[in-house]
Amino acid sequence: SQTIHQWPATLVQPVGSPLSLECTVEGTSNPNLYWYRQAAGRGLQLLFYSVGIGQISSEVPQNLSASRPQDRQFILSSKKLLLSDSGFYLCAWSLGTNTEAFFGQGTRLTVV
Amino acid sequence: GENVEQHPSTLSVQEGDSAVIKCTYSDSASNYFPWYKQELGKGPQLIIDIRSNVGEKKDQRIAVTLNKTAKHFSLHITETQPEDSAVYFCAAMDNFNKFYFGSGTKLNVKP
């Protein structure tokens, strides 16, 4: 069966520090991969979308970047965190058209 | 891009009553509409979905309706139970396979 792993679960980082969140998927090949951010009490904002290795689509200009170095690995990064980067970050995967997205358990990031 | 709006933002019902959450979308090319339930501190989980070739789908106490002409879809939960309390999100998948989510509805079922 397919599983998605996302880590760490919680992270507290100072302003100006770098960020690296990792997401891996097991049990499937060539998934579509997504990064979402959820602000407190808000909906899910699509940040990045990938259909394959090295192929990244950015939804909104911001202080973050994403990379997909392997088929089932998706990484969210920042060189210098801002206070506004705080939130709940969710990775998800799907197999394509008209199929559901499966979410990881999320990373709670607090920038202080 | 796709824009999904969801109402209400909060909904409080008595146990046993029905709950209805409504969503609209903007992109007429969207063809897949999932609904997710999110419990505190966890990732969302799919509870039901509907594709554009059907107008209604039911799974036990949960049903979803879709009106493609009006570009709106709704979630119906009957005989609500306290364990139904959570945040619910609607979503639409565009023709690039990207999911766009509504802003969420916090459902509180009072025992």
Side-chain angles (χ1 to χ4, degrees), chain B:
Chain B
E2 175 66 279
N3 181 46
V4 178
E5 296 192 354
Q6 181 173 346
H7 301 280
S9 56
T10 59
L11 180 59
S12 188
V13 300
Q14 206 66 37
E15 182 177 0
D17 288 350
S18 295
V20 180
I21 301 170
K22 298 183 178 182
C23 290
T24 61
Y25 62 98
S26 61
D27 187 350
S28 56
S30 293
N31 280 316
Y32 175 63
F33 307 92
W35 285 87
Y36 286 84
K37 177 182 181 182
Q38 185 180 32
E39 297 181 346
L40 195 63
K42 296 186 178 180
Q45 293 215 323
L46 181 80
I47 56 171
I48 196 167
D49 57 11
I50 191 166
R51 293 172 177 81
S52 60
N53 57 341
V54 298
E56 184 173 358
K57 183 177 178 180
K58 190 174 182 180
D59 181 5
Q60 299 182 13
R61 297 187 296 109
I62 295 173
V64 58
T65 59
L66 171 65
N67 183 326
K68 280 222 73 177
T69 302
K71 289 188 281 188
H72 66 72
F73 55 116
S74 301
L75 177 72
H76 304 253
I77 305 174
T78 58
E79 302 172 23
T80 54
Q81 301 167 4
E83 51 266 37
D84 293 330
S85 296
V87 179
Y88 292 81
F89 291 97
C90 62
M93 180 186 239
D94 72 4
N95 56 356
F96 297 102
N97 294 341
K98 290 183 282 187
F99 291 91
Y100 293 91
F101 284 79
S103 53
T105 296
K106 185 174 182 180
L107 174 64
N108 179 35
V109 181
K110 296 177 285 186

Side-chain angles (χ1 to χ4, degrees), chain A residues 32 34 36 38 42-44 46 49 57 59 88 90 94 96-101 103-105 108, chain B residues 31-32 34 36 38 41-46 49 51 89 93 96-104:
Chain A
N32 294 332
Y34 311 81
Y36 286 88
Q38 186 175 22
R42 304 288 296 277
L44 284 73
L46 179 61
Y49 168 61
S57 169
E59 285 295 296
F88 191 48
L90 289 156
S94 77
T97 303
N98 296 348
T99 60
E100 69 180 286
F103 283 85
Q105 290 301 296
R108 174 77 56 194
Chain B
N31 280 316
Y32 175 63
Y36 286 84
Q38 185 180 32
K42 296 186 178 180
Q45 293 215 323
L46 181 80
D49 57 11
R51 293 172 177 81
F89 291 97
M93 180 186 239
F96 297 102
N97 294 341
K98 290 183 282 187
F99 291 91
Y100 293 91
F101 284 79
S103 53

Side-chain angles (χ1 to χ4, degrees), chain A residues 28-100:
Chain A
T28 188
S29 296
N30 198 30
N32 294 332
L33 295 173
Y34 311 81
W35 276 111
Y36 286 88
R37 177 170 59 201
Q38 186 175 22
R42 304 288 296 277
L44 284 73
Q45 179 188 30
L46 179 61
L47 301 177
F48 299 98
Y49 168 61
S50 173
V51 298
I53 295 174
Q55 300 178 65
I56 310 294
S57 169
S58 174
E59 285 295 296
V60 292
Q62 57 205 324
N63 187 41
L64 301 168
S65 62
S67 62
R68 184 170 177 174
Q70 299 180 39
D71 180 45
R72 291 170 290 176
Q73 184 185 28
F74 206 20
I75 298 171
L76 183 69
S77 303
S78 174
K79 292 182 179 178
K80 289 185 178 182
L81 285 168
L82 306 172
L83 287 173
S84 57
D85 291 324
S86 294
F88 191 48
Y89 288 83
L90 289 156
C91 180
W93 71 273
S94 77
L95 281 180
T97 303
N98 296 348
T99 60
E100 69 180 286

